[in-house]
């Protein structure tokens, strides 16, 4: 297919595809799916080889959020039966992070619900970052705390944070349809503040919220222009008790086409397969490793997924390898640019040149090795577009509980 040859050539040169080319990827047929994956896989291997970076989420504060993001189980007015708790103490968060690092995670992502941190919250998270780094030599730390105020990004950098995550989530034109308590411009501003402070910026999207192909291309092109080091791709988990509970729009094939489009538009960034991969990719998850170079290990913010052991086996069986702590994630030109940004910001946190963090919303992830698979053998696969409530499991362990975390 001439389209795919053109996209591969552009990806190897870091050249931006046209909008029509990006839309054409989303419009390819299921008959062409393996060709699409193979083509995007060439671009992925050019910049990241066969390495897969593992990341681990720690939910520092769950629920109790005043924002009204329609996709989120922690939103104002959510009736989802999630865990709700206020800030973890630094030693509690460090213990949870240690479990992820022991399981192979290279980066720990610290997430807290809310509009944005107060200065006291930044102090609290700073102590948590210091505790994690004291106990885990070489670990990367990314913070995801919502909208930032002036000076807060620099304070997080000085405390040892390597990155900051804040997702754009959807196109600017449709942003008001999913959130009314803050704006798309607010999100862009926060990512830019992180970049200006010398932090590795991470910003991505959520697919499956009823958006059009044009919306998906719009947000990915906006991300390309914003130029974060990491782009997490989340697939909506339609939690019962949220406004988008009935939005089951994705098939495994469409999810793969979305990931391929992101890789072609953002060829040299860390593309992370984030929330919802178990729910929507299901048995096609291994194919996604040919498109992304980063995934989460362990549970997400408010939901669970497949076993962490199964993730590691999937990576090995697909012919990939877990990225070691001594390996730089990003291509050298991005490492150099990040170092220059850090120097200009006057920082000295020792950024590891890694990618970014994960979702500000919700997602599924790995469970403990002894947990039964989420789809029992006697169950019949649902038809395309049908709700799969059997795949949505609310987190009941790890941070905020007395049950051991999964990693």
């Amino acid at each position: 297919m001439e389209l795919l040859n053109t996209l591969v050539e552009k990806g190897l040169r870091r050249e931006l595809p046209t909008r029509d080319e990006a839309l054409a990827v989303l419009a390819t047929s299921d008959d062409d799916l393996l060709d699409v994956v193979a083509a995007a896989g060439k671009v992925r291997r050019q910049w990241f080889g066969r390495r897969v970076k593992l990341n681990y989420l720690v939910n520092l504060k769950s629920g109790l959020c005043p924002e009204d993001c329609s996709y989120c189980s922690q939103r104002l007015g959510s009736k989802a039966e999630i865990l709700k708790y206020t800030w973890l103490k630094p030693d509690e968060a460090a213990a949870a992070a240690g479990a992820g690092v022991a399981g192979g995670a290279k980066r720990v992502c610290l997430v807290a619900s809310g509009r944005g941190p107060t200065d006291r919250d930044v102090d609290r998270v700073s102590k948590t970052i210091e505790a994690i780094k004291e106990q885990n030599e070489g670990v990367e730390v990314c913070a995801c705390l919502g909208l930032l105020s002036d000076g807060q990004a620099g304070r997080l950098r000085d405390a040892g944070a390597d990155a900051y995550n804040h997702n754009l989530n959807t196109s600017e034109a449709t942003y008001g349809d999913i959130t009314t308590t803050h704006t798309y411009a607010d999100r862009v501003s926060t990512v830019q503040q992180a970049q200006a402070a010398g932090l590795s910026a991470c910003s991505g999207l959520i697919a499956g919220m009823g958006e059009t192909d044009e919306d998906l291309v719009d947000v990915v092109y906006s991300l390309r222009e914003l130029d974060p080091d990491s782009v997490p791709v989340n697939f909506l988990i339609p939690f019962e008790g949220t406004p988008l509970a009935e939005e089951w729009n994705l098939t495994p094939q469409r999810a793969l086409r979305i990931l391929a489009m992101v890789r072609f538009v953002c060829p040299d960034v860390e593309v992370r397969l984030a929330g919802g991969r178990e729910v929507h990719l299901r048995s096609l998850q291994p194919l996604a490793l040919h498109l992304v170079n980063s995934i989460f290990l362990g549970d997400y913010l408010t939901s669970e997924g497949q076993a962490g052991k199964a993730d590691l086996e999937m990576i090995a069986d697909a012919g990939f390898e877990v990225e070691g702590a001594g390996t730089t994630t990003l291509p050298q030109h991005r490492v150099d640019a990040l170092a220059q940004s850090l120097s200009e910001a006057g920082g000295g946190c020792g950024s590891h040149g890694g990618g970014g963090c994960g979702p500000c919303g919700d997602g599924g992830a790995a469970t403990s090795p002894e947990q039964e698979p989420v789809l029992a053998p006697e169950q019949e696969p649902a038809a395309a577009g049908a709700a799969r409530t059997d795949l949505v499991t609310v987190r009941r362990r790890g941070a905020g509980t007395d049950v051991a975390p999964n990693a």
Side-chain angles (χ1 to χ4, degrees), residues 82-103:
I82 62 169
L83 292 171
K84 296 177 182 177
Y85 54 86
T86 190
W87 291 93
L88 297 181
K89 296 178 181 178
D91 59 337
E92 295 172 328
V101 174

Side-chain angles (χ1 to χ4, degrees), residues 151 153-155 157-158 192-200 337-349:
R155 291 171 59 196
R157 179 206 65 208
D158 292 342
Q192 291 173 334
Q193 286 184 59
Q195 291 171 317
L199 291 169
S200 177
L338 183 58
Q340 178 66 26
S341 174
L342 181 63
S343 176
E344 292 173 353
C349 71

Side-chain angles (χ1 to χ4, degrees), residues 54-338:
L54 298 181
N55 310 266
Y56 191 73
L57 276 171
V58 177
N59 194 352
L60 297 178
K61 180 166 73 78
S62 183
L64 314 172
C65 185
E67 302 298 287
D68 68 354
C69 306
S70 298
Y71 53 82
C72 187
S73 62
Q74 304 183 80
R75 74 187 297 272
L76 177 68
S78 170
K79 297 179 181 176
E81 297 181 354
I82 62 169
L83 292 171
K84 296 177 182 177
Y85 54 86
T86 190
W87 291 93
L88 297 181
K89 296 178 181 178
D91 59 337
E92 295 172 328
V101 174
K106 181 176 178 179
R107 173 167 292 219
V108 173
C109 304
L110 303 176
V111 188
S113 64
R115 179 179 178 84
T118 64
D119 286 341
R120 182 182 178 187
D121 293 335
V122 172
D123 289 339
R124 191 191 327 258
V125 174
S126 295
K127 292 176 182 177
T128 297
I129 294 170
E130 292 166 2
I132 291 172
K133 292 214 164 189
E134 284 177 2
Q135 297 178 27
N136 301 278
E137 184 178 357
V139 70
E140 302 172 12
V141 176
C142 177
C144 178
L145 310 175
L147 302 173
L148 293 174
S149 300
D150 290 345
Q152 290 183 330
R155 291 171 59 196
L156 290 168
R157 179 206 65 208
D158 292 342
D162 299 285
Y164 195 84
N165 164 257
H166 202 58
N167 295 329
L168 298 187
N169 289 330
T170 192
S171 68
E172 183 174 11
T174 60
Y175 193 83
D177 296 336
I178 64 166
T179 303
T180 66
T181 48
H182 60 266
T183 67
Y184 181 90
D186 291 332
R187 287 187 169 268
V188 171
S189 175
T190 285
V191 177
Q192 291 173 334
Q193 286 184 59
Q195 291 171 317
L199 291 169
S200 177
C202 169
S203 189
L205 65 142
I206 304 174
M209 298 191 290
E211 70 281 337
T212 65
D213 285 1
E214 288 76 11
D215 290 324
L216 285 171
V217 170
D218 281 349
V219 68
V220 177
Y221 271 66
S222 294
L223 288 166
R224 166 83 181 227
E225 183 177 358
L226 195 57
D227 198 29
D229 292 318
S230 175
V231 174
V233 180
N234 300 278
F235 298 110
L236 175 72
I237 294 185
F239 273 92
E240 292 295 326
T242 65
L244 299 183
E246 304 302 319
E247 295 287 343
W248 289 85
N249 303 308
L250 298 172
T251 64
Q253 294 84 358
R254 178 158 175 79
L256 287 171
R257 283 190 283 269
I258 291 169
L259 291 171
M261 185 270 288
V262 174
R263 175 55 73 193
F264 285 130
V265 177
C266 304
D268 62 334
V269 307
E270 180 185 348
V271 177
R272 180 172 301 117
L273 181 54
R277 63 181 170 95
E278 297 86 353
V279 176
H280 296 292
L281 281 165
R282 301 191 285 277
S283 61
L284 295 192
Q285 288 183 72
L287 281 180
L289 296 177
H290 292 272
L291 309 170
V292 306
N293 62 292
S294 183
I295 67 172
F296 280 99
L297 177 75
D299 295 329
Y300 277 84
L301 302 179
T302 62
S303 62
E304 301 175 356
Q306 71 182 28
K309 182 174 181 288
D311 283 339
L312 297 177
E313 291 174 346
M314 175 180 71
I315 291 169
D317 289 347
F320 293 86
E321 61 184 14
V322 174
E323 182 175 291
T327 302
T328 300
T329 300
L330 295 174
Q332 190 60 45
H333 61 274
R334 282 198 166 272
V335 175
D336 293 342
L338 183 58

